[in-house]
Amino acid sequence: IQPATGSFARNLIYSTKPSNEGNPREPAHIHVIKAGTEAKFWLEPVVKLASNDGFDSRTVKELMTVIRQHQPMFLEAWNDYFS
């Protein structure tokens, strides 16, 4: 788990290293956690919200923007960990 960077993401945590849930294994995704809220985003084929527990719609849109900007880095971390 690593802290996200940037002014908006300063207090967010993202993780590409939880267990790869599911059978068959789930596609590449990340979890974003902040103060009792959590969202899960698919990284492929496009960034898409998988689940949301507590983030308002404005924040989800902002998260989508940040994740899209850093999608290659997240995918690289995913592939490095699960390869």
Side-chain angles (χ1 to χ4, degrees), residues 1-77:
I1 296 178
Q2 302 173 5
T5 58
S7 59
F8 167 73
R10 185 173 301 131
N11 297 313
L12 298 175
I13 301 292
Y14 67 83
S15 176
T16 55
K17 294 187 179 182
S19 63
N20 189 2
E21 307 96 2
N23 187 11
R25 295 197 186 268
E26 290 187 336
H29 63 276
I30 64 167
H31 297 262
V32 180
I33 303 164
K34 180 180 181 182
T37 59
E38 182 173 359
K40 178 178 176 179
F41 294 87
W42 302 121
L43 296 174
E44 293 182 310
V46 296
V47 174
K48 181 178 178 183
L49 180 65
S51 64
N52 176 28
D53 184 18
F55 286 109
D56 61 46
S57 61
R58 178 177 172 225
T59 302
V60 169
K61 288 178 186 178
E62 292 177 21
L63 288 169
M64 292 281 287
T65 299
V66 171
I67 294 167
R68 283 183 183 121
Q69 290 171 345
H70 298 284
Q71 182 185 21
M73 178 191 65
F74 291 131
L75 285 171
E76 182 179 353

